[in-house]
PDB file of all heavy atoms in Angstrom:
ATOM      1  N   THR O  22     -16.282 -23.925  -8.636  1.00 45.00           N
ATOM      2  CA  THR O  22     -17.543 -23.683  -7.936  1.00 45.00           C
ATOM      3  C   THR O  22     -18.512 -23.015  -8.880  1.00 45.00           C
ATOM      4  O   THR O  22     -18.193 -21.995  -9.478  1.00 45.00           O
ATOM      5  CB  THR O  22     -17.322 -22.771  -6.719  1.00 45.00           C
ATOM      6  OG1 THR O  22     -16.424 -23.423  -5.841  1.00 45.00           O
ATOM      7  CG2 THR O  22     -18.635 -22.511  -5.998  1.00 45.00           C
ATOM      8  N   GLY O  40      -6.570  -2.625   7.670  1.00 96.00           N
ATOM      9  CA  GLY O  40      -5.170  -2.462   7.321  1.00 96.00           C
ATOM     10  C   GLY O  40      -4.830  -1.163   6.632  1.00 96.00           C
ATOM     11  O   GLY O  40      -5.310  -0.091   7.018  1.00 96.00           O
ATOM     12  N   SER O  54     -17.537  -2.351  -7.102  1.00 85.00           N
ATOM     13  CA  SER O  54     -17.819  -3.074  -8.342  1.00 85.00           C
ATOM     14  C   SER O  54     -18.639  -4.328  -8.091  1.00 85.00           C
ATOM     15  O   SER O  54     -19.261  -4.870  -9.003  1.00 85.00           O
ATOM     16  CB  SER O  54     -16.508  -3.444  -9.049  1.00 85.00           C
ATOM     17  OG  SER O  54     -15.897  -4.569  -8.446  1.00 85.00           O
ATOM     18  N   ALA O  56     -21.095  -4.480  -5.674  1.00 77.00           N
ATOM     19  CA  ALA O  56     -22.288  -4.177  -4.887  1.00 77.00           C
ATOM     20  C   ALA O  56     -23.607  -4.548  -5.547  1.00 77.00           C
ATOM     21  O   ALA O  56     -24.562  -4.873  -4.862  1.00 77.00           O
ATOM     22  CB  ALA O  56     -22.301  -2.703  -4.520  1.00 77.00           C
ATOM     23  N   GLY O  74      -3.576  -3.501  10.890  1.00 96.00           N
ATOM     24  CA  GLY O  74      -4.299  -4.597  10.258  1.00 96.00           C
ATOM     25  C   GLY O  74      -3.678  -5.939  10.576  1.00 96.00           C
ATOM     26  O   GLY O  74      -4.384  -6.904  10.914  1.00 96.00           O
ATOM     27  N   ILE O  80      -4.147 -12.769  14.748  1.00 98.00           N
ATOM     28  CA  ILE O  80      -4.871 -13.451  15.833  1.00 98.00           C
ATOM     29  C   ILE O  80      -6.261 -13.893  15.373  1.00 98.00           C
ATOM     30  O   ILE O  80      -7.091 -14.312  16.179  1.00 98.00           O
ATOM     31  CB  ILE O  80      -4.978 -12.565  17.094  1.00 98.00           C
ATOM     32  CG1 ILE O  80      -5.718 -11.260  16.816  1.00 98.00           C
ATOM     33  CG2 ILE O  80      -3.594 -12.297  17.669  1.00 98.00           C
ATOM     34  CD1 ILE O  80      -5.961 -10.409  18.065  1.00 98.00           C
ATOM     35  N   ILE O  83      -9.777 -10.783  11.692  1.00 98.00           N
ATOM     36  CA  ILE O  83     -10.293 -10.320  10.403  1.00 98.00           C
ATOM     37  C   ILE O  83      -9.994 -11.348   9.317  1.00 98.00           C
ATOM     38  O   ILE O  83      -9.127 -12.217   9.476  1.00 98.00           O
ATOM     39  CB  ILE O  83      -9.695  -8.958  10.011  1.00 98.00           C
ATOM     40  CG1 ILE O  83      -8.168  -9.019   9.969  1.00 98.00           C
ATOM     41  CG2 ILE O  83     -10.177  -7.864  10.953  1.00 98.00           C
ATOM     42  CD1 ILE O  83      -7.516  -7.747   9.461  1.00 98.00           C
ATOM     43  N   SER O  86      -6.300  -8.741   5.320  1.00 98.00           N
ATOM     44  CA  SER O  86      -5.493  -7.613   5.781  1.00 98.00           C
ATOM     45  C   SER O  86      -4.909  -6.897   4.565  1.00 98.00           C
ATOM     46  O   SER O  86      -4.179  -7.486   3.772  1.00 98.00           O
ATOM     47  CB  SER O  86      -4.370  -8.100   6.688  1.00 98.00           C
ATOM     48  OG  SER O  86      -3.701  -7.016   7.297  1.00 98.00           O
ATOM     49  N   ALA O 104      -1.840 -20.338  14.951  1.00 98.00           N
ATOM     50  CA  ALA O 104      -2.304 -21.290  13.936  1.00 98.00           C
ATOM     51  C   ALA O 104      -3.065 -20.605  12.801  1.00 98.00           C
ATOM     52  O   ALA O 104      -4.039 -21.145  12.273  1.00 98.00           O
ATOM     53  CB  ALA O 104      -3.168 -22.374  14.576  1.00 98.00           C
ATOM     54  N   PHE O 107      -2.230 -18.296   5.823  1.00 98.00           N
ATOM     55  CA  PHE O 107      -2.750 -17.220   4.980  1.00 98.00           C
ATOM     56  C   PHE O 107      -2.241 -17.335   3.547  1.00 98.00           C
ATOM     57  O   PHE O 107      -1.230 -17.985   3.259  1.00 98.00           O
ATOM     58  CB  PHE O 107      -2.345 -15.860   5.549  1.00 98.00           C
ATOM     59  CG  PHE O 107      -0.855 -15.677   5.718  1.00 98.00           C
ATOM     60  CD1 PHE O 107      -0.054 -15.286   4.647  1.00 98.00           C
ATOM     61  CD2 PHE O 107      -0.241 -15.917   6.940  1.00 98.00           C
ATOM     62  CE1 PHE O 107       1.317 -15.129   4.800  1.00 98.00           C
ATOM     63  CE2 PHE O 107       1.136 -15.769   7.108  1.00 98.00           C
ATOM     64  CZ  PHE O 107       1.911 -15.375   6.034  1.00 98.00           C
ATOM     65  N   LEU O 117       5.547   5.526  -3.821  1.00 95.00           N
ATOM     66  CA  LEU O 117       5.503   6.403  -2.661  1.00 95.00           C
ATOM     67  C   LEU O 117       5.867   7.809  -3.130  1.00 95.00           C
ATOM     68  O   LEU O 117       6.936   8.024  -3.698  1.00 95.00           O
ATOM     69  CB  LEU O 117       6.470   5.909  -1.597  1.00 95.00           C
ATOM     70  CG  LEU O 117       6.418   6.589  -0.238  1.00 95.00           C
ATOM     71  CD1 LEU O 117       6.831   5.623   0.855  1.00 95.00           C
ATOM     72  CD2 LEU O 117       7.303   7.818  -0.212  1.00 95.00           C
ATOM     73  N   ARG O 123       1.578  23.349  -3.469  1.00 96.00           N
ATOM     74  CA  ARG O 123       1.531  23.593  -4.918  1.00 96.00           C
ATOM     75  C   ARG O 123       2.229  24.884  -5.321  1.00 96.00           C
ATOM     76  O   ARG O 123       2.653  25.039  -6.481  1.00 96.00           O
ATOM     77  CB  ARG O 123       0.083  23.616  -5.402  1.00 96.00           C
ATOM     78  CG  ARG O 123      -0.764  24.736  -4.831  1.00 96.00           C
ATOM     79  CD  ARG O 123      -2.176  24.676  -5.353  1.00 96.00           C
ATOM     80  NE  ARG O 123      -3.021  25.701  -4.759  1.00 96.00           N
ATOM     81  CZ  ARG O 123      -4.295  25.875  -5.062  1.00 96.00           C
ATOM     82  NH1 ARG O 123      -4.865  25.070  -5.939  1.00 96.00           N
ATOM     83  NH2 ARG O 123      -4.997  26.824  -4.486  1.00 96.00           N
ATOM     84  N   ASP O 124       2.379  25.842  -4.392  1.00 96.00           N
ATOM     85  CA  ASP O 124       3.059  27.100  -4.717  1.00 96.00           C
ATOM     86  C   ASP O 124       4.556  27.064  -4.430  1.00 96.00           C
ATOM     87  O   ASP O 124       5.244  28.079  -4.570  1.00 96.00           O
ATOM     88  CB  ASP O 124       2.422  28.262  -3.941  1.00 96.00           C
ATOM     89  CG  ASP O 124       0.992  28.537  -4.379  1.00 96.00           C
ATOM     90  OD1 ASP O 124       0.661  28.226  -5.549  1.00 96.00           O
ATOM     91  OD2 ASP O 124       0.204  29.043  -3.552  1.00 96.00           O
ATOM     92  N   ASP O 143      19.170  12.121  12.638  1.00 89.00           N
ATOM     93  CA  ASP O 143      20.564  12.488  12.893  1.00 89.00           C
ATOM     94  C   ASP O 143      21.095  13.554  11.938  1.00 89.00           C
ATOM     95  O   ASP O 143      22.241  13.976  12.064  1.00 89.00           O
ATOM     96  CB  ASP O 143      21.457  11.244  12.840  1.00 89.00           C
ATOM     97  CG  ASP O 143      21.387  10.519  11.497  1.00 89.00           C
ATOM     98  OD1 ASP O 143      20.709  11.023  10.576  1.00 89.00           O
ATOM     99  OD2 ASP O 143      21.995   9.443  11.375  1.00 89.00           O
ATOM    100  N   ASP O 169       2.315   2.928  12.511  1.00 87.00           N
ATOM    101  CA  ASP O 169       1.599   1.698  12.178  1.00 87.00           C
ATOM    102  C   ASP O 169       1.409   1.540  10.676  1.00 87.00           C
ATOM    103  O   ASP O 169       0.900   0.524  10.210  1.00 87.00           O
ATOM    104  CB  ASP O 169       0.222   1.667  12.854  1.00 87.00           C
ATOM    105  CG  ASP O 169       0.230   0.838  14.126  1.00 87.00           C
ATOM    106  OD1 ASP O 169       1.227   0.120  14.358  1.00 87.00           O
ATOM    107  OD2 ASP O 169      -0.743   0.908  14.887  1.00 87.00           O
ATOM    108  N   ILE O 186      13.706   8.151  11.956  1.00 93.00           N
ATOM    109  CA  ILE O 186      13.063   9.315  11.366  1.00 93.00           C
ATOM    110  C   ILE O 186      12.858  10.358  12.456  1.00 93.00           C
ATOM    111  O   ILE O 186      12.526  10.034  13.600  1.00 93.00           O
ATOM    112  CB  ILE O 186      11.698   8.920  10.747  1.00 93.00           C
ATOM    113  CG1 ILE O 186      11.894   7.896   9.622  1.00 93.00           C
ATOM    114  CG2 ILE O 186      10.957  10.154  10.232  1.00 93.00           C
ATOM    115  CD1 ILE O 186      12.657   8.394   8.427  1.00 93.00           C
ATOM    116  N   ASP O 189       9.993  15.547  15.193  1.00 92.00           N
ATOM    117  CA  ASP O 189       9.310  16.846  15.197  1.00 92.00           C
ATOM    118  C   ASP O 189       8.511  17.029  13.906  1.00 92.00           C
ATOM    119  O   ASP O 189       8.735  17.957  13.128  1.00 92.00           O
ATOM    120  CB  ASP O 189      10.306  17.990  15.387  1.00 92.00           C
ATOM    121  CG  ASP O 189      11.398  18.005  14.322  1.00 92.00           C
ATOM    122  OD1 ASP O 189      11.706  16.924  13.768  1.00 92.00           O
ATOM    123  OD2 ASP O 189      11.934  19.089  14.045  1.00 92.00           O
ATOM    124  N   GLU O 194      -2.509   8.770  10.847  1.00 84.00           N
ATOM    125  CA  GLU O 194      -2.771   7.489  10.198  1.00 84.00           C
ATOM    126  C   GLU O 194      -3.724   7.660   9.008  1.00 84.00           C
ATOM    127  O   GLU O 194      -3.965   6.717   8.265  1.00 84.00           O
ATOM    128  CB  GLU O 194      -3.376   6.497  11.200  1.00 84.00           C
ATOM    129  CG  GLU O 194      -2.442   6.077  12.314  1.00 84.00           C
ATOM    130  CD  GLU O 194      -1.286   5.228  11.852  1.00 84.00           C
ATOM    131  OE1 GLU O 194      -1.318   4.759  10.695  1.00 84.00           O
ATOM    132  OE2 GLU O 194      -0.340   5.051  12.631  1.00 84.00           O
ATOM    133  N   ARG O 269     -14.938 -20.129   3.229  1.00 94.00           N
ATOM    134  CA  ARG O 269     -16.317 -19.639   3.167  1.00 94.00           C
ATOM    135  C   ARG O 269     -16.617 -19.095   1.778  1.00 94.00           C
ATOM    136  O   ARG O 269     -15.795 -18.379   1.194  1.00 94.00           O
ATOM    137  CB  ARG O 269     -16.536 -18.536   4.221  1.00 94.00           C
ATOM    138  CG  ARG O 269     -16.190 -18.984   5.629  1.00 94.00           C
ATOM    139  CD  ARG O 269     -16.699 -18.050   6.717  1.00 94.00           C
ATOM    140  NE  ARG O 269     -16.834 -16.671   6.364  1.00 94.00           N
ATOM    141  CZ  ARG O 269     -16.034 -15.681   6.809  1.00 94.00           C
ATOM    142  NH1 ARG O 269     -15.011 -15.966   7.610  1.00 94.00           N
ATOM    143  NH2 ARG O 269     -16.262 -14.437   6.460  1.00 94.00           N
ATOM    144  N   GLU O 277     -11.534 -14.024  -5.495  1.00 91.00           N
ATOM    145  CA  GLU O 277     -11.395 -14.280  -6.927  1.00 91.00           C
ATOM    146  C   GLU O 277     -11.718 -13.026  -7.725  1.00 91.00           C
ATOM    147  O   GLU O 277     -10.998 -12.656  -8.658  1.00 91.00           O
ATOM    148  CB  GLU O 277     -12.291 -15.419  -7.384  1.00 91.00           C
ATOM    149  CG  GLU O 277     -12.018 -15.753  -8.852  1.00 91.00           C
ATOM    150  CD  GLU O 277     -13.181 -16.444  -9.528  1.00 91.00           C
ATOM    151  OE1 GLU O 277     -14.335 -16.072  -9.242  1.00 91.00           O
ATOM    152  OE2 GLU O 277     -12.941 -17.333 -10.338  1.00 91.00           O
ATOM    153  N   SER O 289      -7.842   2.567 -11.890  1.00 93.00           N
ATOM    154  CA  SER O 289      -8.913   3.566 -11.800  1.00 93.00           C
ATOM    155  C   SER O 289      -8.770   4.472 -10.590  1.00 93.00           C
ATOM    156  O   SER O 289      -9.289   5.592 -10.592  1.00 93.00           O
ATOM    157  CB  SER O 289     -10.286   2.871 -11.771  1.00 93.00           C
ATOM    158  OG  SER O 289     -10.544   2.285 -10.502  1.00 93.00           O
ATOM    159  N   LYS O 308      -5.551 -21.234  -6.121  1.00 95.00           N
ATOM    160  CA  LYS O 308      -6.273 -22.427  -6.573  1.00 95.00           C
ATOM    161  C   LYS O 308      -5.703 -23.685  -5.935  1.00 95.00           C
ATOM    162  O   LYS O 308      -6.434 -24.612  -5.569  1.00 95.00           O
ATOM    163  CB  LYS O 308      -6.190 -22.530  -8.099  1.00 95.00           C
ATOM    164  CG  LYS O 308      -6.928 -23.719  -8.686  1.00 95.00           C
ATOM    165  CD  LYS O 308      -6.819 -23.719 -10.203  1.00 95.00           C
ATOM    166  CE  LYS O 308      -7.543 -24.919 -10.800  1.00 95.00           C
ATOM    167  NZ  LYS O 308      -7.453 -24.938 -12.278  1.00 95.00           N
ATOM    168  N   ALA O 320      14.646 -19.912   6.701  1.00 94.00           N
ATOM    169  CA  ALA O 320      15.556 -19.625   7.812  1.00 94.00           C
ATOM    170  C   ALA O 320      15.134 -18.385   8.597  1.00 94.00           C
ATOM    171  O   ALA O 320      15.794 -18.008   9.568  1.00 94.00           O
ATOM    172  CB  ALA O 320      16.981 -19.451   7.286  1.00 94.00           C
ATOM    173  N   GLY O 326      13.707  -7.861  -3.410  1.00 88.00           N
ATOM    174  CA  GLY O 326      13.994  -7.957  -4.834  1.00 88.00           C
ATOM    175  C   GLY O 326      12.774  -7.614  -5.658  1.00 88.00           C
ATOM    176  O   GLY O 326      11.726  -7.230  -5.135  1.00 88.00           O
ATOM    177  N   LYS O 333       7.152 -16.321  -6.247  1.00 96.00           N
ATOM    178  CA  LYS O 333       7.118 -17.611  -6.942  1.00 96.00           C
ATOM    179  C   LYS O 333       6.790 -18.707  -5.944  1.00 96.00           C
ATOM    180  O   LYS O 333       7.157 -18.617  -4.766  1.00 96.00           O
ATOM    181  CB  LYS O 333       8.464 -17.912  -7.618  1.00 96.00           C
ATOM    182  CG  LYS O 333       8.848 -16.918  -8.710  1.00 96.00           C
ATOM    183  CD  LYS O 333      10.195 -17.283  -9.312  1.00 96.00           C
ATOM    184  CE  LYS O 333      10.571 -16.318 -10.427  1.00 96.00           C
ATOM    185  NZ  LYS O 333      11.903 -16.638 -11.011  1.00 96.00           N
ATOM    186  N   ALA O 334       6.143 -19.745  -6.412  1.00 96.00           N
ATOM    187  CA  ALA O 334       5.703 -20.846  -5.530  1.00 96.00           C
ATOM    188  C   ALA O 334       6.871 -21.441  -4.756  1.00 96.00           C
ATOM    189  O   ALA O 334       6.729 -21.777  -3.577  1.00 96.00           O
ATOM    190  CB  ALA O 334       4.989 -21.908  -6.354  1.00 96.00           C
ATOM    191  N   GLU O 335       8.015 -21.567  -5.414  1.00 96.00           N
ATOM    192  CA  GLU O 335       9.147 -22.216  -4.754  1.00 96.00           C
ATOM    193  C   GLU O 335       9.728 -21.375  -3.616  1.00 96.00           C
ATOM    194  O   GLU O 335      10.522 -21.871  -2.801  1.00 96.00           O
ATOM    195  CB  GLU O 335      10.256 -22.532  -5.764  1.00 96.00           C
ATOM    196  CG  GLU O 335      10.797 -21.351  -6.538  1.00 96.00           C
ATOM    197  CD  GLU O 335      10.099 -21.154  -7.873  1.00 96.00           C
ATOM    198  OE1 GLU O 335       8.901 -21.485  -7.982  1.00 96.00           O
ATOM    199  OE2 GLU O 335      10.771 -20.662  -8.816  1.00 96.00           O
TER     200      GLU O 335
END
Side-chain angles (χ1 to χ4, degrees):
T22 299
S54 78
I80 60 175
I83 57 174
S86 189
F107 57 83
L117 188 150
R123 64 180 177 179
D124 294 333
D143 59 4
D169 261 348
I186 298 295
D189 57 333
E194 293 292 348
R269 304 194 331 252
E277 186 203 38
S289 75
K308 181 179 179 180
K333 297 179 179 179
E335 57 266 31

